[in-house]
Structure formats: C-alpha cells, structure tokens
Amino acid sequence: MERQAKPFVKWAGGKGQLLADIRSKYPTELGKRIDKYAEPFVGGGAVLFDVLNNYDLREVYISDVNRELIHTYTTIRDNSGALIAALADMERAYNAPNADRATIYYNARERFNSLKLADSNGVELAALFIFLNRTCFNGLYRVNRKGEYNVPQGKYAKPTICDADNLRAVSEKLQRVTAVCGDYKLSRNFIDDHTFAYFDPPYRPLTTTANFTAYAEGGFDDSEQASLAKFIDDIATKGAYFTASNSDPKNYDERDDFFDALYCQYTITRITATRAINAVGNGRGRVSELLIARPHDRIL
Ligand SMILES: C[S@@+](CC[C@H](N)C(=O)[O-])C[C@H]1O[C@@H](n2cnc3c(N)ncnc32)[C@H](O)[C@@H]1O
C-alpha cells in the first residue's frame, strides 16, 4: 500500500485536528471534474497532504510568504536523498549520549540565520529548517526585526529529526506540485472553474493583545482580511470552489459581525477547535472557529 504523507513540520495554526470538519467541505466532484487544487497559505500543509493522499489531481499549486518554508518543500520534492542524509547526521549528533544539545541548537540557529540572510537555496538551509522546527520551543517560527529566527531551544527527550519514511512519501506526493514563495494573490491565474482552493490565512486576532500573526515578516490586518474576501469573491465568480478558515470574533464579542458581513453570500459553519489561548492563562481551551465555503449546490 502507498504510504500516506503527513506534514513534515509542526506549524502554528496547523489544521490536523480539524481535518474531519474541513473534509466535509471538499466539493463532491474533487478528483473528478474538479481536478486542480490550490492552497495559497500552505504553512505545514495538513489539508494539502490530506488532499494529495486521497485524490488524483491534474495540477496542484501551493504558496506561502515564508521563503525558507517553501524552499524546504522544493528541497523535499527535488532532493530528498541529500536532505534525509543531512537530517540523519543532525539527529545522530543531537540524540547522542552526553551531547551538548544547547550548543548544537544555538550553533544550528546561527548557521540557519546566516544562510537565511544570504538567501541561500541549498540543502543545508532546508535541513536546518526542519532540525530547528523539531528541536525548538513548541515548533514555533518567529523572527526578529532583522529577520533572524529567534526561537529558543525546546526540551524534548528524544526528538525525531529525520523521519525518512515520511520525507520519502512527501517527496513522492509533491512531484507534481508547483510551490511558489510569495503572496496568495499570485495564485489568481492558476485558479479556475476546475479548481478547489483552501485558504487558511493568518487568523484575525481575537483580542488586541493576541499576536497570532507573527509567522514571517509582515502581518495580516483587517484591511488585508477584506482584500482576501474580495479575492475569494473573484475566484468564486470564475466558478472555483473554495473553503476558508478564520477565527470567530464572536468568541469574545457576540456583536462582532466582521466575517459574517464580509462573507455574507457564502455558507459559514462554526466548528470547535482546541487552541492555546492567552485569555485563559497558559492553558489550552476550546474555541469556535469559522469555515466559510461556497455552497456546493449553488452556481454563483
Ligand atoms: C494559519 S497558517 C496556515 C497553516 C496551515 N493550514 C497548516 O495546516 O499548517 C498561515 C500561513 O500563511 C502564510 N502567509 C501570511 N501572509 C501571507 C500572504 N500574504 N500570502 C501567502 N501566505 C501568507 C504564513 O507564513 C503562514 O504559513
């Protein structure tokens, strides 16, 4: 049996736990008449891999503004052998008895930043990206004003750094995937009436102090949420199917109709997710989130 591919990084806002809800919004003709898939805010790609594992598609397009993330996707696609060898070396060194893990981690972070700032596109940058994701605090990706990755070391007893079987499965699934580093709007020409697109932008913060948008350089404010809604209108008018995720402002303010107004011509489903929430201390809590979709049975 063909091995199923799964996300190769832990990613803020990862959709693994919501797959069943999101699947229920896939158009019924996916894999048949709808034979193209686009995921313009791909992140860790939980939905991407679910779609690649379960449907035969003619063309797939992914993008993200995080250059090192997209570089890692293309390295896995085009050079998985060298990447796996580099990660296996890193795992051996980090998990060796008596390893000085803090020194290994902070040296790796410094090396990653020098390659990142030099716009490297080598295998080493991708290997360090995965190494840091597996060994840093909570799998976070955060950069300072100078663009340097600055997440501290995490405390995992024996982290898996090189999951060779999954990287091979991911490589296989990515063979026919176009991966673009850049803004979601670059997907406009790809998306047509044979396309299903899933949009998972940085969430609108639930409170003014919550900072959920620090994925890469740049943020995503209300005017950008509105531009995205306009972009989605344009592709839906072209005949594309879509599903979009976002936070539900009504968790904190029942009167906040921001998304209900922006997406009033679509179906909005409220689902429950478990998230780390500042407002309940350091704990995790259950919150409502939005799934916005074009009704499957209605031509716009
Ligand atoms: C909520 S995360 C996606 C999480 C993903 N669904 C998963 O399962 O891991 C949002 C992603 O959008 C990217 N992003 C932010 N602004 C963007 C833009 N203007 N165009 C494309 N990607 C963007 C971020 O780098 C981040 O990876």
Side-chain angles (χ1 to χ4, degrees):
M1 212 186 83
E2 217 184 322
R3 199 180 187 287
Q4 302 270 296
K6 57 178 203 290
F8 54 88
V9 280
K10 189 171 163 176
W11 207 245
K15 287 296 170 297
Q17 56 161 320
L18 300 177
L19 273 180
D21 291 300
I22 297 170
R23 266 185 207 133
S24 73
K25 304 289 175 192
Y26 293 173
T28 44
E29 286 189 90
L30 188 59
K32 297 176 208 137
R33 193 184 71 77
I34 312 287
D35 57 1
K36 291 172 66 176
Y37 176 70
E39 191 167 340
F41 299 89
V42 72
V47 179
L48 168 74
F49 291 113
D50 187 57
V51 168
L52 292 176
N53 286 334
N54 293 299
Y55 298 92
D56 224 355
L57 296 158
R58 184 162 54 91
E59 279 185 87
V60 178
Y61 176 106
I62 59 173
S63 64
D64 200 288
V65 287
N66 186 317
R67 193 189 80 85
E68 292 68 41
L69 173 68
I70 291 297
H71 171 64
T72 305
Y73 273 96
T74 55
T75 304
I76 297 173
R77 183 189 63 198
D78 302 336
N79 213 346
S80 60
L83 178 68
I84 289 169
L87 284 169
D89 285 346
M90 290 177 176
E91 178 166 313
R92 247 188 315 276
Y94 198 74
N95 288 342
N98 307 321
D100 179 356
R101 287 181 156 197
T103 302
I104 296 175
Y105 178 86
Y106 288 103
N107 283 345
R109 194 174 82 170
E110 202 177 308
R111 175 77 181 146
F112 175 79
N113 280 326
S114 67
L115 293 172
K116 176 180 188 295
L117 297 182
D119 279 343
S120 153
N121 52 19
V123 169
E124 189 186 3
L125 180 71
L128 287 166
F129 183 86
I130 294 178
F131 171 82
L132 292 170
N133 181 268
R134 293 306 178 106
T135 55
C136 76
F137 178 74
N138 267 349
L140 281 180
Y141 191 90
R142 190 188 60 204
V143 294
N144 63 19
R145 278 177 202 283
K146 285 191 271 176
E148 293 161 337
Y149 175 84
N150 65 0
V151 178
Q153 187 189 11
K155 301 278 175 243
Y156 299 104
K158 198 163 181 264
T160 302
I161 293 160
C162 182
D163 183 348
D165 286 346
N166 187 50
L167 289 169
R168 282 189 207 100
V170 169
S171 180
E172 189 147 317
K173 297 286 181 205
L174 290 179
Q175 287 310 307
R176 276 187 295 160
V177 174
T178 300
V180 172
C181 169
D183 189 60
Y184 71 90
K185 288 189 176 121
L186 298 173
S187 63
R188 189 186 291 278
N189 289 340
F190 175 87
I191 299 176
D192 61 14
D193 61 345
H194 288 274
T195 309
F196 172 51
Y198 173 58
F199 295 93
D200 188 16
Y203 277 13
R204 182 173 186 244
L206 281 177
T207 61
T208 46
T209 52
N211 181 12
F212 293 156
T213 53
Y215 292 100
E217 292 91 327
F220 214 81
D221 62 18
D222 279 5
S223 75
E224 283 169 282
Q225 298 287 359
S227 308
L228 173 61
K230 167 80 178 69
F231 180 86
I232 288 179
D233 272 343
D234 291 348
I235 60 123
T237 306
K238 273 207 262 178
Y241 283 94
F242 78 88
T243 296
S245 291
N246 222 308
S247 59
D248 182 3
K250 292 189 185 297
N251 281 300
Y252 281 94
D253 182 356
E254 194 42 54
R255 294 158 307 172
D256 189 334
D257 284 326
F258 182 75
F259 288 118
D260 298 82
L262 272 185
Y263 291 103
C264 59
Q265 48 175 332
Y266 304 106
T267 306
I268 300 183
T269 310
R270 294 186 145 79
I271 58 174
T272 306
T274 305
R275 296 275 176 218
I277 310 168
N278 298 346
V280 291
N282 291 324
R284 290 169 72 76
R286 292 177 78 68
V287 288
S288 164
E289 292 192 6
L290 306 180
L291 274 185
I292 302 147
R294 173 183 156 185
H296 294 180
D297 53 352
R298 214 180 79 207
I299 304 298
L300 292 169

